[in-house]
Amino acid sequence: MVFDARSASGSRSRRDATRPAAGRRPRSAAPSSEPEQDQEPDPVDLTQDEPATEVEAEEGPVTLRLDGKVALVTGAGSPDGIGYATARRLRDLGARVAIVSTTRRIHERASELGVTGFVADLTDEAEVGALADAIADQLGDVEVLVNNAGLASRTSPEVLRPVAQLTYDEWRAEIDRNLSTAFLCSRAFVGGMSEQGWGRIVNLAATAGPINALPTEAAYAAAKSGVVGLTRALAMELVADGINVNCVAPGTIYTAASTVTEIKQGLGTPIGRPGTPDEVAAAIAFLCSPAASYITGQMLVVDGGNSVREAEFR
C-alpha cells in the first residue's frame, strides 16, 4: 500500500505530537491511609536465597529474535545504505518492518525486502504524526525504532563550510536532518512503547562529533553529538517503562555515495578497509533485540578500531 505523509499531514493527526501517550506500567497499589502499627521486622535468614523481585531478568535464554514485533527503520531509501541493511536484518529476525524515506523510491526498497514502505519528511512535525498514525493502522504500534535518517540527498545536500562562512539556514538544515528527525520520531512512538512496557530505540550517531571532527563539518558534528545526548536522556527517562535506548556510531562505511577520499580513509583504519552497511546493521540489530536487555544509554562505535589507535605504526 502506498502512503505519502505529505498528503495525509494536512488533516489533524489522531496523536498529539507534543504530548505522546505516556503509558507507564502500573506500579504497586498505593499504601493504605491507615496508620501502621509498630511491628518488629522479621529476622533475616542469610542462608536462604534472595526472593524473586520484579527487577530480576526474565528466566530463560536470551534471544535475538523479534518475532511479531513492529519495527520502523528511517532513512532506508538507498539499496546499499545502512537503513536498508538494517531493515533486512530486522526482517530476518522476524520483525514486521516498516521503512520510510523522503522519496517514493522507498516503495521499490519495500518491494525488494517484502516490507511496508512510507514516504514522509521526518523534519516536519505534522508528517511524522501522520506517519505514526499510518503505521499504527497498517501494522500496529511500533516497538522497535531505528532513527537512521540523516544522510544528505540531492534535494538536501551536505553542507561543507567553515563556521565563519556557514549560514544560519545551512546550520539549521544539518541539525534538523541529523538530530531533529531522531527527536520527532522518538517522541511520536515512545508513548506506545511505554503502554506496552517494552521497546527498543537505536539512534545513528557517528564518530564525527562524539569522538573526532573534521574541518567544514561543524554542523554535522554538533548534530551527531546531540544524538548521543538525546540517546542518554531518553534512556534515563524511559528505563522504568522497559524501553532501552542506545546509539551506534559508524566510522568510514563504504557505500555507493562514498568518495575516493573516504575510501582511502577506510583503508587507513587498523582493520585496513572501510566498514560495510551490513556490519553496522549487525550492531544495530543486536541492540534492537531482547538479548540487549541490560544495555541502555550507550554508544557503540563501529569504526574498525580507528578511534582507538593513537598513532599509525610503520
Side-chain angles (χ1 to χ4, degrees):
M1 180 175 180
V2 175
F3 172 82
D4 191 331
R6 290 170 189 145
S7 61
S9 59
S11 58
R12 183 174 179 82
S13 170
R14 294 195 301 273
R15 299 168 186 246
D16 183 346
T18 63
R19 297 179 63 84
R24 289 186 177 273
R25 289 173 294 172
R27 301 293 190 261
S28 56
S32 171
S33 59
E34 297 181 1
E36 295 183 359
Q37 297 181 354
D38 292 337
Q39 295 181 352
E40 293 185 3
D42 293 331
V44 178
D45 186 353
L46 299 179
T47 64
Q48 299 296 321
D49 293 336
E50 288 286 337
T53 67
E54 62 177 324
V55 299
E56 291 180 354
E58 296 182 2
E59 294 183 0
V62 295
T63 178
L64 294 171
R65 299 294 302 175
L66 290 165
D67 296 301
K69 301 291 186 184
V70 176
L72 170 63
V73 182
T74 70
S78 171
D80 64 346
I82 292 171
Y84 186 88
T86 300
R88 181 173 57 219
R89 281 203 171 246
L90 297 184
R91 178 207 64 189
D92 291 346
L93 291 174
R96 301 168 61 202
V97 179
I99 56 177
V100 59
S101 75
T102 57
T103 65
R104 294 180 64 83
R105 68 174 179 167
I106 196 67
H107 298 302
E108 297 175 19
R109 305 290 85 79
S111 178
E112 293 162 3
L113 292 170
V115 301
T116 307
F118 298 87
V119 178
D121 178 357
L122 301 182
T123 66
D124 186 301
E125 184 177 17
E127 290 196 23
V128 173
L131 171 69
D133 286 341
I135 295 175
D137 287 343
Q138 295 189 37
L139 298 176
D141 287 331
V142 169
E143 298 155 284
V144 175
L145 171 63
V146 179
N147 284 312
N148 174 67
L151 186 66
S153 65
R154 293 178 182 176
T155 57
S156 183
E158 185 178 5
V159 178
L160 298 174
R161 211 185 312 280
V163 170
Q165 301 172 19
L166 196 65
T167 70
Y168 187 44
D169 285 342
E170 290 170 337
W171 167 269
R172 291 198 305 179
E174 285 292 303
I175 298 297
D176 282 348
R177 180 168 56 224
N178 291 285
L179 177 57
S180 297
T181 51
F183 159 70
L184 289 173
C185 287
S186 296
R187 190 182 65 175
F189 295 107
V190 292
M193 293 181 189
S194 295
E195 290 175 355
Q196 296 180 72
W198 193 93
R200 296 286 188 269
I201 300 175
V202 179
N203 298 318
L204 265 290
T207 53
I211 295 174
N212 52 41
L214 292 170
T216 75
E217 293 188 5
Y220 179 81
K224 289 304 186 182
S225 295
V227 168
V228 179
L230 174 65
T231 297
R232 291 171 177 163
L234 270 176
M236 295 301 96
E237 290 177 5
L238 302 173
V239 66
D241 293 334
I243 303 170
N244 294 38
V245 188
N246 294 286
C247 63
V248 171
T252 303
I253 306 300
Y254 179 73
T255 68
S258 298
T259 65
V260 173
T261 299
E262 290 171 338
I263 295 172
K264 287 181 178 179
Q265 290 172 347
L267 295 174
T269 65
I271 285 185
R273 61 171 177 82
T276 68
D278 196 57
E279 288 173 320
V280 181
I284 295 170
F286 167 70
L287 292 174
C288 290
S289 74
S293 56
Y294 201 59
I295 303 172
T296 196
Q298 303 303 310
M299 180 178 72
L300 176 57
V301 177
V302 184
D303 73 344
N306 205 45
S307 58
V308 176
R309 181 177 56 191
E310 183 175 355
E312 184 174 355
F313 293 94
R314 301 184 185 279

